[in-house]
Each structure stands twice: as structure tokens, then as C-alpha cells.
Amino acid sequence: MNKLKQILFWCFLLFIWTLSPSVLSAEIALDSPYLFHAQADQQPPKQFDAVPHWMGQLDEANSVSLTGGDYWMITPVMVNQRQSNWVVDASNSIIESVDYWILGSDGSSQHAHSGYSAPYEFLFDYGRKVTLNMGTDYWLLVKLSSRYYSSPPEIALQSVTDHQLMSDRLAMAVLLCLGGLLFIALYNLLIYISILDKAFLYYGLYVFAYFAGWALTFHLPAHLFNFHYLELHHLFFISLPIFNIMFYKHFLQLPSYSPRLWRLSQYLMFACIVALPTSIWLLPYTAIIASVLIMLWIALAITCGNVCLMKGFAPARYFILAFTCLLLPAVIILPGNMGLTPDFIEHAELATLMGGTADALLLSLALANKLKLLAEERKAHIEELAIAWEKARLDGLTRVGNRYAFDEYMNSQLGFADKVVQPMALALLNIDSLKSVNETLGHQEGDRLLQVVVQLLQATDLAHLKLYRISGDEFVVVTPSVGIPLLLSSLNGLREQLASQGFKDCQCSFGISLNSEVADPHEWLRLADTNLYQSRMDKRRQEYADTRGVDVRLHLS
């Protein structure tokens, strides 16, 4: 959250510094200009005194139509500063052609042409340098021609120094925002290539469309590549809801959280797709169409974010905050783009660009937060799998390795016979009396017998001892061969130790084999089993011999 506050603070500071009144205040205060309709080939008078009569012949206009047209904006000017170098600028809208005429009471006449397709004296505006002398009255006549206006144009006069400083600051802010947008777009597209999460794909395309739309709005391709194609401008803005809807479908998991809102989003996305050709075929109305669709999209996106947040999707809080940053300048500029309200602030387009950049940064944080949550879920899932894996390898009763764990260990052993690096001994232990204990004392005592056997074996002071229960009454003990004497001592004394635990006459059998005596893991266990069988037979022969000796002595007596 501290990083988020820092980002918002620096964005706000950049905006305030860029639009500081000391930079934007005009040296000459212009009255509200007279507005008239213009004819395509209509020219102004050549003399200062002829302007009032000429104005009387023009068709007065109440306002500039956003669907385009030709207009005259005429205002008187009087210089109140000693400097003579000034800049006249038509701003606040994309204008295809701008002509400035300045007629002075001293008989001077100046003309300059600017506009969308004309060369630029200053970055990102239509300003032209003019000469105005103190004490002279002037008429400023501006002829505007464009197929559409994104908002009502405004005329300003500033000193060259102040206008250059303002232009440089605005250019720096615009380039920083556009550079940030391009970086975010490419970064998220690269992430998509690496993890194939479609949320990153559509987010990258959304930010790239935002970058392209504003780059065209501020004439960056015209400055750099002399590329002029007005029809493309709103094509990118109309595509914003399309990419963003697909983004928040995957990011917010909207079809799962709210199927109804997802259907509404699909309807809006379809409307945007249908509206895409209007940027070319209905150019005069494309700004209005784009503004309506963008307002609907922002309202719907904030609603979707709130619904998903209330239903428990935590990253949606960044999503809501991001669209709030986009909503605030949009509320200011979009109604003006539709002709519903006047512009409330200067440089509303820059404010919207900054809001969109903050939106892109915050949505990046939302994606990063989602990645963090996914990583945490993945880590928890891996831990659960590890626990389940460990449990699957343990015998539930004795808590030692089970047959699966034993097979896994045996398959990991590679050195046998003459390839042995570390000689190991494998002891196969069978609890012969387990069945009789279960039948006479009950299964509970049989279970306790197995647990006691494990405790006694684990108490053996053998380094690197491994213990497995491979069947109901069979255990495997694996230890380095140097521990065989101690292992034999423990196994031979097991009967007495079990007797001390209440299991009298408990019988055990075991067989030991070395990995140096066999060629593979199966032979290793098989040899131990053979030795166990041989040990059991020897024990039975010994018991039989002892019984026969007792019978002979009784017969002789």
C-alpha cells in the first residue's frame, strides 16, 4: 500500500506542476471571441478598419458543433506588455486546419497556417509565433476547419518564453505518460508469453490501445513520422472496452462471480465491435460514439469490481481504485466531448491521459497482487501435496516408512556387487507371534506389539538406520554394514526385551544380506528372505533336537 501511495503522490505532483498557474497564465487576457460560420473559400479583410463591417456580413454561430465544420473565431487584442514576441494558439481539440490573421491598427497584417497536417513549431499544439506591439490595437481572426471537434476549441495568446516553457512541460508529461503506458503494455505481453495467462494478454493489448489512441491524439506519429490519418484516432479508443472487458473477464473471474454482469459486459463488447467502423465511416460522430461507450464501460467495470470484491475476490480492490482514477478525469472530459457541459479545466486531455496512466499502473498492481495470491495458493498447495506425499509413505500405525517408501528407497540404490560404494546391510524381521497375539489377546495388543518392536529398533544406537514396515508382520532394517554386530545383538535380544514389555514367548525371525552379495535390489531383499527362512528352519531343528533330548533323558530315568 505504501508503494501505491507513492505512485499516486508522484502522479498528482506531476499533474499540479505541469498545470501550475505561473506557467499557464496568459500575458494577454482575451475576451470571449465572436463565433461565426465560415465558408470553405472565405477570406478575411486585409485592413483593420474593415473587420467590423465584414463581421456584420457573417452568419453568427451559437457554438462549435462537435460533428465538425468551418468557423471564424474573432476577438480584439491589445498588448499591455513591452515585449513584442507572442504565440497565438488554438487548443483544446484536434483541428485539421487553423489559420491565424492578425490585423493591426498601424496597418500591419500577419498570417500563419497550422493544424493537424501542418508542420509544428511547438510540440503537441498548433501555436504560431506572431509580433504584437504595445499601444497598437489588433483584430485576431482565427479560421477553424475540421471534420470533427473533440471539444470546443479555445484561443490563447502567450509570450514566446511562457508558451515554450508550458509546451516543454506538457510535452514532458505527455511523453512520460506515453512511455509508461508502452512499457506496461510490453511488460505484460512478455509475462503472457512466459505464463500464458490471458489476463496479461488482454491487459497488455488494452494498455497498448490506450497508448496508441493518446499518441495519435497528441500527434506523436505526425511529429515523428509525418503520419496523418484522423480516422485511426478513435478506433483505438473504441477498442479500449473490448480489450478491458476480456481482461476483467479473466482477472475478476466474472463469469463465475456474476454471470449476469458478464452478459451485460458481452453486450457492451458487441456494441463496441459494431461501433469500430464508425471511426472511419462516421468520422464526425465518432468522438461522441466513443465517449458514450467509454462512459458505459467505466461504469460497468466499477460495478463488476465492487460485486467481485463483495463476493471475496481481494485483488478487485486495486481494480476499483484503478477505474476510479480513470473515472475522475473521464467525468470531466467526456460530457464535454458530447457537448453536454463546458470544459471545467484547462488541458483536460492531459488530465485524462494522466488518469489513464494511473489506471494502468494500478491495474498492474492488481495483476501483481493476483500473481502473489496465486503464488501463495500454489505454495500452500505444494505444501499440502508434500504433507500428503509424506503421509502416503508412512505406515499409519507405527509411523515408519511403508512398503511404497521401501520400494522407493530400493529403486534409488544403484551400486551392487562389485560396484558398491558404501556396503549396506538389509535385515528382514518377521514377528512370528503376531497372529497368536491377535487371536489370544486381541488386535489392540497386536498393534501395541508392533509399536513396541519399532520403539526398540529405533532405540538401537545405529547411525543412518532406516526402518520400514513392508507387510503386516514384516519389517526391514537398513544400516551400514559396519553396524551389523550391533544390529545382530539388538535382534537377538529382541525376544527378552519384548518379554519385559508383557509379551512372553514372543517369537521373531530375521535374515540379513549385504548389497555387495547381490546384483540388484530384488536379489538383495530375496537373499535376506532366504536367510530368514534358513534361520527359522535352524531354530525349529534346534527346538526339535532339544525336545528329543528331553524325551531320551525322561525315558532313561
Side-chain angles (χ1 to χ4, degrees):
M1 185 58 73
N2 290 332
K3 184 181 291 186
L4 174 62
K5 290 180 180 178
Q6 290 176 7
I7 291 172
L8 294 177
F9 171 76
W10 285 112
C11 289
F12 177 75
L13 191 63
L14 176 63
F15 179 71
I16 294 299
W17 176 75
T18 304
L19 304 182
S20 58
S22 62
V23 176
L24 300 183
S25 57
E27 294 290 345
I28 298 179
L30 296 178
D31 295 330
S32 297
Y34 301 104
L35 183 65
F36 303 94
H37 291 286
Q39 304 299 322
D41 55 349
Q42 194 173 36
Q43 296 295 316
K46 298 184 180 298
Q47 299 295 325
F48 174 86
D49 295 335
V51 171
H53 176 71
W54 175 74
M55 288 172 57
Q57 300 175 350
L58 298 178
D59 180 16
E60 188 173 357
N62 295 323
S63 62
V64 173
S65 172
L66 298 182
T67 57
D70 299 336
Y71 295 92
W72 288 103
M73 297 182 76
I74 304 171
T75 184
V77 177
M78 176 174 285
V79 176
N80 55 10
Q81 299 288 330
R82 293 189 179 275
Q83 60 183 339
S84 58
N85 297 319
W86 298 87
V87 174
V88 58
D89 180 31
S91 61
N92 206 46
S93 179
I94 293 176
I95 308 172
E96 291 185 87
S97 177
V98 184
D99 285 283
Y100 306 107
W101 286 273
I102 295 183
L103 304 178
S105 59
D106 59 355
S108 62
S109 176
Q110 302 174 63
H111 173 249
H113 176 71
S114 185
Y116 177 66
S117 300
Y120 300 93
E121 285 191 34
F122 302 94
L123 287 173
F124 309 138
D125 67 41
Y126 305 128
R128 286 291 185 267
K129 294 178 182 178
V130 296
T131 300
L132 301 174
N133 296 316
M134 186 175 178
T136 303
D137 293 331
Y138 295 93
W139 279 107
L140 172 59
L141 292 74
V142 181
K143 186 178 182 181
L144 311 172
S145 298
S146 189
R147 284 174 287 175
Y148 82 89
Y149 299 96
S150 54
S151 58
E154 296 178 356
I155 307 299
L157 270 172
Q158 285 183 295
S159 68
V160 172
T161 303
D162 286 347
H163 187 83
Q164 184 69 65
L165 180 59
M166 180 198 70
S167 177
D168 291 344
R169 287 192 175 186
L170 291 177
M172 185 186 68
V174 169
L175 291 175
L176 282 175
C177 291
L178 292 177
L181 290 171
L182 183 59
F183 173 80
I184 292 170
L186 296 176
Y187 175 73
N188 283 276
L189 290 174
L190 287 174
I191 291 180
Y192 166 72
I193 293 173
S194 62
I195 66 175
L196 298 179
D197 186 336
K198 289 186 178 180
F200 288 91
L201 170 63
Y202 291 116
Y203 178 64
L205 294 174
Y206 159 72
V207 177
F208 183 79
Y210 202 80
F211 159 80
W214 282 111
L216 288 166
T217 298
F218 286 100
H219 305 348
L220 196 62
H223 280 294
L224 297 177
F225 312 111
N226 198 30
F227 177 79
H228 306 87
Y229 195 67
L230 200 61
E231 287 81 356
L232 279 182
H233 287 215
H234 284 86
L235 182 70
F236 289 102
F237 286 117
I238 295 174
S239 68
L240 288 179
I242 299 172
F243 293 126
N244 191 264
I245 288 170
M246 292 303 298
F247 158 68
Y248 69 65
K249 170 197 173 183
H250 294 279
F251 175 75
L252 296 176
Q253 302 169 25
L254 190 61
S256 299
Y257 281 103
S258 179
R260 182 176 298 178
L261 285 175
W262 169 234
R263 283 195 297 272
L264 287 176
S265 299
Q266 286 178 302
Y267 296 149
L268 179 58
M269 183 169 62
F270 178 74
C272 292
I273 294 172
V274 172
L276 282 174
T278 64
S279 65
I280 298 174
W281 305 112
L282 293 174
L283 183 61
Y285 302 94
T286 186
I288 298 174
I289 293 171
S291 299
V292 171
L293 292 173
I294 289 173
M295 289 188 70
L296 292 174
W297 155 57
I298 293 175
L300 182 58
I302 292 178
T303 303
C304 293
N306 278 285
V307 169
C308 292
L309 181 62
M310 289 187 293
K311 292 189 176 182
F313 186 67
R317 62 183 185 273
Y318 293 108
F319 182 86
I320 297 169
L321 188 57
F323 271 89
T324 302
C325 290
L326 190 60
L327 176 66
L328 293 177
V331 167
I332 296 173
I333 192 173
L334 291 179
N337 289 352
M338 294 185 290
L340 300 177
T341 62
D343 290 329
F344 296 105
I345 62 171
E346 288 189 82
H347 304 284
E349 290 178 340
L350 177 61
T352 308
L353 173 60
M354 289 184 170
T357 305
D359 165 72
L361 289 171
L362 290 170
L363 287 180
S364 292
L365 288 178
L367 281 170
N369 185 251
K370 181 183 178 182
L371 278 181
K372 179 182 176 183
L373 291 178
L374 290 175
E376 291 174 352
E377 291 176 2
R378 182 173 177 268
K379 181 180 178 181
H381 184 60
I382 291 174
E383 290 176 353
E384 290 176 1
L385 285 177
I387 294 172
W389 175 261
E390 197 62 32
K391 287 181 178 179
R393 300 170 71 254
L394 289 178
D395 178 61
L397 176 63
T398 61
R399 310 305 299 169
V400 297
N402 57 16
R403 182 57 187 256
Y404 181 81
F406 172 69
D407 291 340
E408 185 183 65
Y409 169 76
M410 294 293 280
N411 290 330
S412 68
Q413 301 304 300
L414 301 176
F416 290 93
D418 56 349
K419 296 181 180 180
V420 169
V421 177
Q422 181 181 10
M424 300 290 292
L426 183 151
L428 181 61
L429 172 66
N430 187 273
I431 312 300
D432 300 327
S433 303
L434 179 62
K435 183 177 180 182
S436 62
V437 170
N438 286 334
E439 291 175 352
T440 57
L441 301 178
H443 286 276
Q444 185 174 354
E445 283 298 298
D447 292 344
R448 190 171 75 87
L449 169 61
L450 295 172
Q451 292 170 339
V452 170
V453 169
V454 169
Q455 292 170 5
L456 294 175
L457 291 173
Q458 289 176 335
T460 304
D461 190 17
L462 283 170
H464 307 293
L465 179 139
K466 298 181 184 297
L467 182 59
Y468 304 94
R469 183 187 177 195
I470 63 172
S471 66
D473 56 1
E474 285 188 322
F475 292 87
V476 167
V477 183
V478 181
T479 184
S481 60
V482 295
I484 289 179
L486 182 56
L487 178 62
L488 284 172
S489 174
S490 298
L491 293 175
N492 287 324
L494 193 59
R495 179 176 179 180
E496 289 76 13
Q497 290 177 308
L498 290 174
S500 66
Q501 296 290 330
F503 299 102
K504 297 179 180 180
D505 301 323
C506 183
Q507 300 293 326
C508 299
S509 304
F510 64 88
I512 297 177
S513 63
L514 298 174
N515 58 354
S516 58
E517 301 173 329
V518 296
D520 58 56
H522 300 289
E523 291 186 12
W524 195 13
L525 180 62
R526 190 180 301 113
L527 180 59
D529 186 54
T530 301
N531 292 337
L532 181 148
Y533 179 77
Q534 185 64 43
S535 172
R536 185 178 292 165
M537 291 299 100
D538 292 342
K539 186 185 297 184
R540 288 179 180 176
R541 281 195 293 268
Q542 183 62 44
E543 290 175 355
Y544 178 76
D546 291 343
T547 302
R548 291 290 296 170
V550 172
D551 292 340
V552 169
R553 286 194 296 273
L554 289 175
H555 179 71
L556 292 175
S557 62

